[in-house]
PDB file of all heavy atoms in Angstrom:
ATOM      1  N   LYS A   1       0.850  -1.196  -0.003  1.00  0.00           N
ATOM      2  CA  LYS A   1       0.025  -0.005  -0.010  1.00  0.00           C
ATOM      3  C   LYS A   1       0.878   1.286  -0.003  1.00  0.00           C
ATOM      4  O   LYS A   1       0.464   2.288  -0.525  1.00  0.00           O
ATOM      5  CB  LYS A   1      -0.956  -0.009   1.203  1.00  0.00           C
ATOM      6  CG  LYS A   1      -2.033  -1.085   1.057  1.00  0.00           C
ATOM      7  CD  LYS A   1      -2.908  -1.196   2.281  1.00  0.00           C
ATOM      8  CE  LYS A   1      -3.913  -2.331   2.101  1.00  0.00           C
ATOM      9  NZ  LYS A   1      -4.739  -2.517   3.323  1.00  0.00           N
ATOM     10  N   ILE A   2       2.058   1.210   0.607  1.00  0.00           N
ATOM     11  CA  ILE A   2       2.987   2.332   0.525  1.00  0.00           C
ATOM     12  C   ILE A   2       3.306   2.565  -0.961  1.00  0.00           C
ATOM     13  O   ILE A   2       3.372   3.727  -1.380  1.00  0.00           O
ATOM     14  CB  ILE A   2       4.234   2.046   1.308  1.00  0.00           C
ATOM     15  CG1 ILE A   2       3.946   2.133   2.834  1.00  0.00           C
ATOM     16  CG2 ILE A   2       5.386   3.007   0.956  1.00  0.00           C
ATOM     17  CD1 ILE A   2       5.108   1.684   3.705  1.00  0.00           C
ATOM     18  N   LEU A   3       3.543   1.489  -1.709  1.00  0.00           N
ATOM     19  CA  LEU A   3       3.866   1.614  -3.127  1.00  0.00           C
ATOM     20  C   LEU A   3       2.708   2.313  -3.870  1.00  0.00           C
ATOM     21  O   LEU A   3       2.966   3.214  -4.729  1.00  0.00           O
ATOM     22  CB  LEU A   3       4.175   0.278  -3.707  1.00  0.00           C
ATOM     23  CG  LEU A   3       4.550   0.329  -5.204  1.00  0.00           C
ATOM     24  CD1 LEU A   3       5.956   0.854  -5.368  1.00  0.00           C
ATOM     25  CD2 LEU A   3       4.407  -1.009  -5.890  1.00  0.00           C
ATOM     26  N   ILE A   4       1.490   1.998  -3.549  1.00  0.00           N
ATOM     27  CA  ILE A   4       0.343   2.559  -4.280  1.00  0.00           C
ATOM     28  C   ILE A   4       0.321   4.032  -4.068  1.00  0.00           C
ATOM     29  O   ILE A   4      -0.057   4.820  -4.983  1.00  0.00           O
ATOM     30  CB  ILE A   4      -0.971   1.920  -3.755  1.00  0.00           C
ATOM     31  CG1 ILE A   4      -0.920   0.381  -3.928  1.00  0.00           C
ATOM     32  CG2 ILE A   4      -2.152   2.494  -4.482  1.00  0.00           C
ATOM     33  CD1 ILE A   4      -0.534  -0.092  -5.289  1.00  0.00           C
ATOM     34  N   GLU A   5       0.725   4.504  -2.904  1.00  0.00           N
ATOM     35  CA  GLU A   5       0.699   5.938  -2.645  1.00  0.00           C
ATOM     36  C   GLU A   5       1.718   6.691  -3.476  1.00  0.00           C
ATOM     37  O   GLU A   5       1.641   7.917  -3.637  1.00  0.00           O
ATOM     38  CB  GLU A   5       1.027   6.199  -1.163  1.00  0.00           C
ATOM     39  CG  GLU A   5      -0.022   5.640  -0.189  1.00  0.00           C
ATOM     40  CD  GLU A   5       0.436   5.692   1.253  1.00  0.00           C
ATOM     41  OE1 GLU A   5       1.507   6.226   1.505  1.00  0.00           O
ATOM     42  OE2 GLU A   5      -0.369   5.221   2.106  1.00  0.00           O
ATOM     43  N   HIS A   6       2.701   5.956  -4.014  1.00  0.00           N
ATOM     44  CA  HIS A   6       3.788   6.593  -4.804  1.00  0.00           C
ATOM     45  C   HIS A   6       3.751   6.185  -6.280  1.00  0.00           C
ATOM     46  O   HIS A   6       4.750   6.355  -7.005  1.00  0.00           O
ATOM     47  CB  HIS A   6       5.164   6.212  -4.231  1.00  0.00           C
ATOM     48  CG  HIS A   6       5.412   6.764  -2.843  1.00  0.00           C
ATOM     49  ND1 HIS A   6       4.895   6.212  -1.718  1.00  0.00           N
ATOM     50  CD2 HIS A   6       6.122   7.852  -2.489  1.00  0.00           C
ATOM     51  CE1 HIS A   6       5.272   6.900  -0.624  1.00  0.00           C
ATOM     52  NE2 HIS A   6       6.041   7.932  -1.067  1.00  0.00           N
ATOM     53  N   SER A   7       2.617   5.663  -6.737  1.00  0.00           N
ATOM     54  CA  SER A   7       2.562   5.185  -8.139  1.00  0.00           C
ATOM     55  C   SER A   7       1.196   5.348  -8.715  1.00  0.00           C
ATOM     56  O   SER A   7       0.193   5.595  -7.937  1.00  0.00           O
ATOM     57  CB  SER A   7       3.019   3.743  -8.227  1.00  0.00           C
ATOM     58  OG  SER A   7       2.150   2.898  -7.507  1.00  0.00           O
ATOM     59  N   ASN A   8       1.087   5.209 -10.003  1.00  0.00           N
ATOM     60  CA  ASN A   8      -0.172   5.315 -10.722  1.00  0.00           C
ATOM     61  C   ASN A   8      -0.861   3.979 -10.826  1.00  0.00           C
ATOM     62  O   ASN A   8      -1.032   3.400 -11.876  1.00  0.00           O
ATOM     63  CB  ASN A   8       0.139   5.905 -12.122  1.00  0.00           C
ATOM     64  CG  ASN A   8      -1.151   6.133 -12.901  1.00  0.00           C
ATOM     65  OD1 ASN A   8      -2.183   6.519 -12.354  1.00  0.00           O
ATOM     66  ND2 ASN A   8      -1.061   5.908 -14.224  1.00  0.00           N
ATOM     67  N   CYS A   9      -1.226   3.408  -9.684  1.00  0.00           N
ATOM     68  CA  CYS A   9      -1.760   2.041  -9.616  1.00  0.00           C
ATOM     69  C   CYS A   9      -2.999   1.949  -8.777  1.00  0.00           C
ATOM     70  O   CYS A   9      -3.204   2.740  -7.861  1.00  0.00           O
ATOM     71  CB  CYS A   9      -0.682   1.075  -9.026  1.00  0.00           C
ATOM     72  SG  CYS A   9       0.832   0.959  -9.996  1.00  0.00           S
ATOM     73  N   ASP A  10      -3.850   0.949  -9.134  1.00  0.00           N
ATOM     74  CA  ASP A  10      -5.023   0.612  -8.287  1.00  0.00           C
ATOM     75  C   ASP A  10      -4.723  -0.753  -7.641  1.00  0.00           C
ATOM     76  O   ASP A  10      -4.289  -1.682  -8.305  1.00  0.00           O
ATOM     77  CB  ASP A  10      -6.267   0.544  -9.135  1.00  0.00           C
ATOM     78  CG  ASP A  10      -6.790   1.890  -9.558  1.00  0.00           C
ATOM     79  OD1 ASP A  10      -6.587   2.870  -8.819  1.00  0.00           O
ATOM     80  OD2 ASP A  10      -7.347   1.995 -10.671  1.00  0.00           O
ATOM     81  N   TYR A  11      -5.110  -0.845  -6.383  1.00  0.00           N
ATOM     82  CA  TYR A  11      -4.715  -2.001  -5.498  1.00  0.00           C
ATOM     83  C   TYR A  11      -5.873  -2.990  -5.368  1.00  0.00           C
ATOM     84  O   TYR A  11      -7.007  -2.620  -5.086  1.00  0.00           O
ATOM     85  CB  TYR A  11      -4.311  -1.497  -4.163  1.00  0.00           C
ATOM     86  CG  TYR A  11      -3.977  -2.540  -3.148  1.00  0.00           C
ATOM     87  CD1 TYR A  11      -2.736  -3.163  -3.094  1.00  0.00           C
ATOM     88  CD2 TYR A  11      -4.929  -2.888  -2.147  1.00  0.00           C
ATOM     89  CE1 TYR A  11      -2.422  -4.076  -2.100  1.00  0.00           C
ATOM     90  CE2 TYR A  11      -4.617  -3.817  -1.170  1.00  0.00           C
ATOM     91  CZ  TYR A  11      -3.378  -4.407  -1.164  1.00  0.00           C
ATOM     92  OH  TYR A  11      -3.055  -5.337  -0.202  1.00  0.00           O
ATOM     93  N   PHE A  12      -5.554  -4.266  -5.572  1.00  0.00           N
ATOM     94  CA  PHE A  12      -6.540  -5.361  -5.380  1.00  0.00           C
ATOM     95  C   PHE A  12      -5.827  -6.463  -4.535  1.00  0.00           C
ATOM     96  O   PHE A  12      -4.652  -6.729  -4.780  1.00  0.00           O
ATOM     97  CB  PHE A  12      -7.003  -5.949  -6.727  1.00  0.00           C
ATOM     98  CG  PHE A  12      -7.678  -4.985  -7.634  1.00  0.00           C
ATOM     99  CD1 PHE A  12      -6.979  -4.239  -8.521  1.00  0.00           C
ATOM    100  CD2 PHE A  12      -9.073  -4.830  -7.563  1.00  0.00           C
ATOM    101  CE1 PHE A  12      -7.591  -3.307  -9.346  1.00  0.00           C
ATOM    102  CE2 PHE A  12      -9.696  -3.967  -8.410  1.00  0.00           C
ATOM    103  CZ  PHE A  12      -9.000  -3.153  -9.296  1.00  0.00           C
ATOM    104  N   GLU A  13      -6.534  -7.040  -3.607  1.00  0.00           N
ATOM    105  CA  GLU A  13      -5.924  -8.045  -2.794  1.00  0.00           C
ATOM    106  C   GLU A  13      -6.830  -9.258  -2.564  1.00  0.00           C
ATOM    107  O   GLU A  13      -8.068  -9.172  -2.753  1.00  0.00           O
ATOM    108  CB  GLU A  13      -5.520  -7.510  -1.434  1.00  0.00           C
ATOM    109  CG  GLU A  13      -6.670  -7.195  -0.489  1.00  0.00           C
ATOM    110  CD  GLU A  13      -6.210  -6.827   0.905  1.00  0.00           C
ATOM    111  OE1 GLU A  13      -5.052  -6.358   1.099  1.00  0.00           O
ATOM    112  OE2 GLU A  13      -7.039  -6.964   1.887  1.00  0.00           O
ATOM    113  N   VAL A  14      -6.227 -10.372  -2.266  1.00  0.00           N
ATOM    114  CA  VAL A  14      -6.943 -11.590  -1.923  1.00  0.00           C
ATOM    115  C   VAL A  14      -6.446 -12.096  -0.585  1.00  0.00           C
ATOM    116  O   VAL A  14      -5.212 -11.926  -0.281  1.00  0.00           O
ATOM    117  CB  VAL A  14      -6.786 -12.687  -2.987  1.00  0.00           C
ATOM    118  CG1 VAL A  14      -5.307 -13.108  -3.197  1.00  0.00           C
ATOM    119  CG2 VAL A  14      -7.635 -13.874  -2.751  1.00  0.00           C
ATOM    120  N   VAL A  15      -7.273 -12.663   0.249  1.00  0.00           N
ATOM    121  CA  VAL A  15      -6.888 -13.145   1.549  1.00  0.00           C
ATOM    122  C   VAL A  15      -7.202 -14.648   1.606  1.00  0.00           C
ATOM    123  O   VAL A  15      -8.358 -15.056   1.904  1.00  0.00           O
ATOM    124  CB  VAL A  15      -7.623 -12.407   2.696  1.00  0.00           C
ATOM    125  CG1 VAL A  15      -7.133 -12.894   4.066  1.00  0.00           C
ATOM    126  CG2 VAL A  15      -7.411 -10.911   2.551  1.00  0.00           C
ATOM    127  N   PRO A  16      -6.239 -15.504   1.279  1.00  0.00           N
ATOM    128  CA  PRO A  16      -6.486 -16.936   1.260  1.00  0.00           C
ATOM    129  C   PRO A  16      -6.786 -17.485   2.714  1.00  0.00           C
ATOM    130  O   PRO A  16      -6.331 -16.939   3.694  1.00  0.00           O
ATOM    131  CB  PRO A  16      -5.151 -17.557   0.792  1.00  0.00           C
ATOM    132  CG  PRO A  16      -4.464 -16.427   0.065  1.00  0.00           C
ATOM    133  CD  PRO A  16      -4.863 -15.191   0.827  1.00  0.00           C
ATOM    134  N   THR A  17      -7.613 -18.530   2.711  1.00  0.00           N
ATOM    135  CA  THR A  17      -7.998 -19.107   4.055  1.00  0.00           C
ATOM    136  C   THR A  17      -7.555 -20.560   4.085  1.00  0.00           C
ATOM    137  O   THR A  17      -7.103 -21.157   3.122  1.00  0.00           O
ATOM    138  CB  THR A  17      -9.563 -19.051   4.160  1.00  0.00           C
ATOM    139  OG1 THR A  17     -10.132 -19.955   3.174  1.00  0.00           O
ATOM    140  CG2 THR A  17     -10.070 -17.668   3.956  1.00  0.00           C
ATOM    141  N   ASP A  18      -7.714 -21.121   5.307  1.00  0.00           N
ATOM    142  CA  ASP A  18      -7.364 -22.518   5.499  1.00  0.00           C
ATOM    143  C   ASP A  18      -8.260 -23.405   4.623  1.00  0.00           C
ATOM    144  O   ASP A  18      -7.807 -24.447   4.080  1.00  0.00           O
ATOM    145  CB  ASP A  18      -7.479 -22.929   6.964  1.00  0.00           C
ATOM    146  CG  ASP A  18      -8.806 -22.597   7.613  1.00  0.00           C
ATOM    147  OD1 ASP A  18      -9.632 -21.897   6.913  1.00  0.00           O
ATOM    148  OD2 ASP A  18      -8.991 -22.971   8.777  1.00  0.00           O
ATOM    149  N   GLN A  19      -9.519 -23.033   4.431  1.00  0.00           N
ATOM    150  CA  GLN A  19     -10.396 -23.852   3.617  1.00  0.00           C
ATOM    151  C   GLN A  19      -9.952 -23.775   2.125  1.00  0.00           C
ATOM    152  O   GLN A  19     -10.036 -24.770   1.406  1.00  0.00           O
ATOM    153  CB  GLN A  19     -11.831 -23.369   3.695  1.00  0.00           C
ATOM    154  CG  GLN A  19     -12.852 -24.268   2.980  1.00  0.00           C
ATOM    155  CD  GLN A  19     -12.895 -25.663   3.575  1.00  0.00           C
ATOM    156  OE1 GLN A  19     -13.066 -25.888   4.740  1.00  0.00           O
ATOM    157  NE2 GLN A  19     -12.740 -26.691   2.675  1.00  0.00           N
ATOM    158  N   ASP A  20      -9.483 -22.575   1.700  1.00  0.00           N
ATOM    159  CA  ASP A  20      -8.946 -22.496   0.320  1.00  0.00           C
ATOM    160  C   ASP A  20      -7.776 -23.494   0.141  1.00  0.00           C
ATOM    161  O   ASP A  20      -7.651 -24.161  -0.910  1.00  0.00           O
ATOM    162  CB  ASP A  20      -8.407 -21.062   0.085  1.00  0.00           C
ATOM    163  CG  ASP A  20      -9.501 -20.019  -0.024  1.00  0.00           C
ATOM    164  OD1 ASP A  20     -10.638 -20.420  -0.439  1.00  0.00           O
ATOM    165  OD2 ASP A  20      -9.277 -18.862   0.325  1.00  0.00           O
ATOM    166  N   PHE A  21      -6.918 -23.579   1.179  1.00  0.00           N
ATOM    167  CA  PHE A  21      -5.790 -24.502   1.105  1.00  0.00           C
ATOM    168  C   PHE A  21      -6.251 -25.923   0.857  1.00  0.00           C
ATOM    169  O   PHE A  21      -5.755 -26.607  -0.050  1.00  0.00           O
ATOM    170  CB  PHE A  21      -4.947 -24.387   2.420  1.00  0.00           C
ATOM    171  CG  PHE A  21      -3.732 -25.223   2.431  1.00  0.00           C
ATOM    172  CD1 PHE A  21      -2.552 -24.648   1.934  1.00  0.00           C
ATOM    173  CD2 PHE A  21      -3.707 -26.525   2.911  1.00  0.00           C
ATOM    174  CE1 PHE A  21      -1.353 -25.425   1.939  1.00  0.00           C
ATOM    175  CE2 PHE A  21      -2.560 -27.266   2.935  1.00  0.00           C
ATOM    176  CZ  PHE A  21      -1.369 -26.734   2.436  1.00  0.00           C
ATOM    177  N   VAL A  22      -7.207 -26.358   1.648  1.00  0.00           N
ATOM    178  CA  VAL A  22      -7.717 -27.732   1.472  1.00  0.00           C
ATOM    179  C   VAL A  22      -8.338 -27.922   0.139  1.00  0.00           C
ATOM    180  O   VAL A  22      -8.175 -28.994  -0.506  1.00  0.00           O
ATOM    181  CB  VAL A  22      -8.739 -28.051   2.647  1.00  0.00           C
ATOM    182  CG1 VAL A  22      -9.439 -29.349   2.346  1.00  0.00           C
ATOM    183  CG2 VAL A  22      -8.003 -28.054   3.951  1.00  0.00           C
ATOM    184  N   ASP A  23      -9.091 -26.954  -0.331  1.00  0.00           N
ATOM    185  CA  ASP A  23      -9.835 -27.105  -1.587  1.00  0.00           C
ATOM    186  C   ASP A  23      -8.925 -27.084  -2.810  1.00  0.00           C
ATOM    187  O   ASP A  23      -9.200 -27.753  -3.818  1.00  0.00           O
ATOM    188  CB  ASP A  23     -10.861 -25.980  -1.713  1.00  0.00           C
ATOM    189  CG  ASP A  23     -12.001 -26.101  -0.687  1.00  0.00           C
ATOM    190  OD1 ASP A  23     -12.183 -27.181  -0.151  1.00  0.00           O
ATOM    191  OD2 ASP A  23     -12.671 -25.052  -0.442  1.00  0.00           O
ATOM    192  N   LEU A  24      -7.822 -26.300  -2.730  1.00  0.00           N
ATOM    193  CA  LEU A  24      -7.048 -26.031  -3.924  1.00  0.00           C
ATOM    194  C   LEU A  24      -5.792 -26.826  -4.087  1.00  0.00           C
ATOM    195  O   LEU A  24      -5.283 -26.936  -5.246  1.00  0.00           O
ATOM    196  CB  LEU A  24      -6.692 -24.509  -3.979  1.00  0.00           C
ATOM    197  CG  LEU A  24      -7.892 -23.551  -4.170  1.00  0.00           C
ATOM    198  CD1 LEU A  24      -7.432 -22.117  -4.061  1.00  0.00           C
ATOM    199  CD2 LEU A  24      -8.603 -23.805  -5.497  1.00  0.00           C
ATOM    200  N   ILE A  25      -5.213 -27.354  -3.039  1.00  0.00           N
ATOM    201  CA  ILE A  25      -3.874 -27.982  -3.145  1.00  0.00           C
ATOM    202  C   ILE A  25      -3.889 -29.143  -4.146  1.00  0.00           C
ATOM    203  O   ILE A  25      -2.969 -29.205  -4.997  1.00  0.00           O
ATOM    204  CB  ILE A  25      -3.378 -28.476  -1.790  1.00  0.00           C
ATOM    205  CG1 ILE A  25      -3.028 -27.266  -0.914  1.00  0.00           C
ATOM    206  CG2 ILE A  25      -2.215 -29.389  -1.884  1.00  0.00           C
ATOM    207  CD1 ILE A  25      -2.011 -26.321  -1.561  1.00  0.00           C
ATOM    208  N   PRO A  26      -4.862 -30.043  -4.192  1.00  0.00           N
ATOM    209  CA  PRO A  26      -4.802 -31.038  -5.274  1.00  0.00           C
ATOM    210  C   PRO A  26      -4.797 -30.438  -6.661  1.00  0.00           C
ATOM    211  O   PRO A  26      -4.108 -30.947  -7.549  1.00  0.00           O
ATOM    212  CB  PRO A  26      -6.069 -31.861  -5.016  1.00  0.00           C
ATOM    213  CG  PRO A  26      -6.353 -31.689  -3.543  1.00  0.00           C
ATOM    214  CD  PRO A  26      -5.950 -30.258  -3.267  1.00  0.00           C
ATOM    215  N   LYS A  27      -5.662 -29.429  -6.890  1.00  0.00           N
ATOM    216  CA  LYS A  27      -5.697 -28.778  -8.212  1.00  0.00           C
ATOM    217  C   LYS A  27      -4.358 -28.110  -8.511  1.00  0.00           C
ATOM    218  O   LYS A  27      -3.907 -28.165  -9.648  1.00  0.00           O
ATOM    219  CB  LYS A  27      -6.792 -27.742  -8.245  1.00  0.00           C
ATOM    220  CG  LYS A  27      -8.200 -28.274  -8.077  1.00  0.00           C
ATOM    221  CD  LYS A  27      -9.201 -27.124  -8.078  1.00  0.00           C
ATOM    222  CE  LYS A  27     -10.625 -27.655  -7.826  1.00  0.00           C
ATOM    223  NZ  LYS A  27     -11.628 -26.546  -7.727  1.00  0.00           N
ATOM    224  N   LEU A  28      -3.740 -27.530  -7.508  1.00  0.00           N
ATOM    225  CA  LEU A  28      -2.484 -26.806  -7.687  1.00  0.00           C
ATOM    226  C   LEU A  28      -1.354 -27.740  -8.061  1.00  0.00           C
ATOM    227  O   LEU A  28      -0.579 -27.523  -8.987  1.00  0.00           O
ATOM    228  CB  LEU A  28      -2.172 -26.036  -6.413  1.00  0.00           C
ATOM    229  CG  LEU A  28      -0.824 -25.302  -6.368  1.00  0.00           C
ATOM    230  CD1 LEU A  28      -0.650 -24.364  -7.549  1.00  0.00           C
ATOM    231  CD2 LEU A  28      -0.675 -24.514  -5.086  1.00  0.00           C
ATOM    232  N   ILE A  29      -1.247 -28.877  -7.342  1.00  0.00           N
ATOM    233  CA  ILE A  29      -0.182 -29.855  -7.644  1.00  0.00           C
ATOM    234  C   ILE A  29      -0.383 -30.399  -9.038  1.00  0.00           C
ATOM    235  O   ILE A  29       0.596 -30.598  -9.782  1.00  0.00           O
ATOM    236  CB  ILE A  29      -0.183 -30.947  -6.601  1.00  0.00           C
ATOM    237  CG1 ILE A  29       0.098 -30.413  -5.188  1.00  0.00           C
ATOM    238  CG2 ILE A  29       0.847 -32.021  -6.953  1.00  0.00           C
ATOM    239  CD1 ILE A  29       1.436 -29.699  -5.048  1.00  0.00           C
ATOM    240  N   TYR A  30      -1.612 -30.609  -9.452  1.00  0.00           N
ATOM    241  CA  TYR A  30      -1.826 -31.102 -10.781  1.00  0.00           C
ATOM    242  C   TYR A  30      -1.396 -30.069 -11.837  1.00  0.00           C
ATOM    243  O   TYR A  30      -0.817 -30.380 -12.844  1.00  0.00           O
ATOM    244  CB  TYR A  30      -3.367 -31.423 -11.012  1.00  0.00           C
ATOM    245  CG  TYR A  30      -3.678 -31.943 -12.342  1.00  0.00           C
ATOM    246  CD1 TYR A  30      -3.336 -33.252 -12.720  1.00  0.00           C
ATOM    247  CD2 TYR A  30      -4.328 -31.135 -13.304  1.00  0.00           C
ATOM    248  CE1 TYR A  30      -3.648 -33.732 -13.998  1.00  0.00           C
ATOM    249  CE2 TYR A  30      -4.605 -31.610 -14.579  1.00  0.00           C
ATOM    250  CZ  TYR A  30      -4.294 -32.922 -14.901  1.00  0.00           C
ATOM    251  OH  TYR A  30      -4.558 -33.311 -16.151  1.00  0.00           O
ATOM    252  N   ALA A  31      -1.724 -28.809 -11.512  1.00  0.00           N
ATOM    253  CA  ALA A  31      -1.353 -27.707 -12.447  1.00  0.00           C
ATOM    254  C   ALA A  31       0.169 -27.645 -12.602  1.00  0.00           C
ATOM    255  O   ALA A  31       0.709 -27.394 -13.694  1.00  0.00           O
ATOM    256  CB  ALA A  31      -1.882 -26.399 -11.952  1.00  0.00           C
ATOM    257  N   LEU A  32       0.930 -27.896 -11.511  1.00  0.00           N
ATOM    258  CA  LEU A  32       2.374 -27.733 -11.514  1.00  0.00           C
ATOM    259  C   LEU A  32       3.069 -28.845 -12.303  1.00  0.00           C
ATOM    260  O   LEU A  32       4.212 -28.659 -12.741  1.00  0.00           O
ATOM    261  CB  LEU A  32       2.913 -27.716 -10.106  1.00  0.00           C
ATOM    262  CG  LEU A  32       2.601 -26.501  -9.218  1.00  0.00           C
ATOM    263  CD1 LEU A  32       3.110 -26.720  -7.829  1.00  0.00           C
ATOM    264  CD2 LEU A  32       3.137 -25.250  -9.804  1.00  0.00           C
ATOM    265  N   ASP A  33       2.484 -30.016 -12.426  1.00  0.00           N
ATOM    266  CA  ASP A  33       3.087 -31.174 -13.049  1.00  0.00           C
ATOM    267  C   ASP A  33       4.064 -31.890 -12.129  1.00  0.00           C
ATOM    268  O   ASP A  33       4.224 -33.108 -12.196  1.00  0.00           O
ATOM    269  CB  ASP A  33       3.809 -30.909 -14.361  1.00  0.00           C
ATOM    270  CG  ASP A  33       2.877 -30.834 -15.566  1.00  0.00           C
ATOM    271  OD1 ASP A  33       1.797 -31.439 -15.461  1.00  0.00           O
ATOM    272  OD2 ASP A  33       3.252 -30.209 -16.576  1.00  0.00           O
ATOM    273  N   GLU A  34       4.762 -31.116 -11.308  1.00  0.00           N
ATOM    274  CA  GLU A  34       5.749 -31.663 -10.387  1.00  0.00           C
ATOM    275  C   GLU A  34       5.616 -30.866  -9.044  1.00  0.00           C
ATOM    276  O   GLU A  34       5.253 -29.727  -9.042  1.00  0.00           O
ATOM    277  CB  GLU A  34       7.180 -31.500 -10.903  1.00  0.00           C
ATOM    278  CG  GLU A  34       7.425 -32.253 -12.201  1.00  0.00           C
ATOM    279  CD  GLU A  34       8.826 -31.958 -12.730  1.00  0.00           C
ATOM    280  OE1 GLU A  34       8.965 -30.892 -13.415  1.00  0.00           O
ATOM    281  OE2 GLU A  34       9.725 -32.734 -12.517  1.00  0.00           O
ATOM    282  N   PRO A  35       5.967 -31.518  -7.936  1.00  0.00           N
ATOM    283  CA  PRO A  35       5.852 -30.853  -6.610  1.00  0.00           C
ATOM    284  C   PRO A  35       6.990 -29.927  -6.332  1.00  0.00           C
ATOM    285  O   PRO A  35       7.920 -30.269  -5.600  1.00  0.00           O
ATOM    286  CB  PRO A  35       5.753 -32.006  -5.601  1.00  0.00           C
ATOM    287  CG  PRO A  35       6.606 -33.077  -6.278  1.00  0.00           C
ATOM    288  CD  PRO A  35       6.333 -32.915  -7.748  1.00  0.00           C
ATOM    289  N   LEU A  36       6.922 -28.719  -6.876  1.00  0.00           N
ATOM    290  CA  LEU A  36       8.052 -27.776  -6.780  1.00  0.00           C
ATOM    291  C   LEU A  36       7.856 -26.706  -5.707  1.00  0.00           C
ATOM    292  O   LEU A  36       6.721 -26.484  -5.287  1.00  0.00           O
ATOM    293  CB  LEU A  36       8.212 -27.040  -8.164  1.00  0.00           C
ATOM    294  CG  LEU A  36       8.604 -27.964  -9.318  1.00  0.00           C
ATOM    295  CD1 LEU A  36       8.350 -27.254 -10.636  1.00  0.00           C
ATOM    296  CD2 LEU A  36      10.072 -28.352  -9.244  1.00  0.00           C
ATOM    297  N   ALA A  37       8.947 -26.084  -5.314  1.00  0.00           N
ATOM    298  CA  ALA A  37       8.922 -24.916  -4.480  1.00  0.00           C
ATOM    299  C   ALA A  37       8.344 -25.212  -3.095  1.00  0.00           C
ATOM    300  O   ALA A  37       8.195 -26.327  -2.688  1.00  0.00           O
ATOM    301  CB  ALA A  37       8.208 -23.768  -5.187  1.00  0.00           C
ATOM    302  N   GLY A  38       8.037 -24.097  -2.387  1.00  0.00           N
ATOM    303  CA  GLY A  38       7.469 -24.186  -1.068  1.00  0.00           C
ATOM    304  C   GLY A  38       6.025 -23.846  -1.022  1.00  0.00           C
ATOM    305  O   GLY A  38       5.396 -23.648  -2.074  1.00  0.00           O
ATOM    306  N   PRO A  39       5.435 -23.745   0.179  1.00  0.00           N
ATOM    307  CA  PRO A  39       4.006 -23.513   0.294  1.00  0.00           C
ATOM    308  C   PRO A  39       3.589 -22.142  -0.240  1.00  0.00           C
ATOM    309  O   PRO A  39       2.368 -21.952  -0.457  1.00  0.00           O
ATOM    310  CB  PRO A  39       3.755 -23.622   1.787  1.00  0.00           C
ATOM    311  CG  PRO A  39       5.098 -23.469   2.465  1.00  0.00           C
ATOM    312  CD  PRO A  39       6.096 -23.999   1.490  1.00  0.00           C
ATOM    313  N   GLY A  40       4.520 -21.226  -0.499  1.00  0.00           N
ATOM    314  CA  GLY A  40       4.159 -19.953  -1.028  1.00  0.00           C
ATOM    315  C   GLY A  40       3.477 -20.033  -2.379  1.00  0.00           C
ATOM    316  O   GLY A  40       2.854 -19.071  -2.844  1.00  0.00           O
TER     317      GLY A  40
END
């Protein structure tokens, strides 16, 4: 948000939840093809 104050940008955010994690991880691993990187 500090950056937005100094730039010509509009800010949008998402707040993931624990239920999102449960719902999406199988889809996410399938999308990746391989289990790469960390939980980020």
Side-chain angles (χ1 to χ4, degrees):
K1 291 174 181 176
I2 288 172
L3 181 76
I4 303 309
E5 296 172 1
H6 293 79
S7 62
N8 183 35
C9 298
D10 287 329
Y11 175 82
F12 300 88
E13 72 172 23
V14 63
V15 184
T17 66
D18 53 354
Q19 188 61 54
D20 290 331
F21 184 88
V22 171
D23 294 340
L24 293 175
I25 289 305
K27 297 177 183 177
L28 176 54
I29 298 301
Y30 181 75
L32 291 176
D33 278 338
E34 298 175 278
L36 296 163

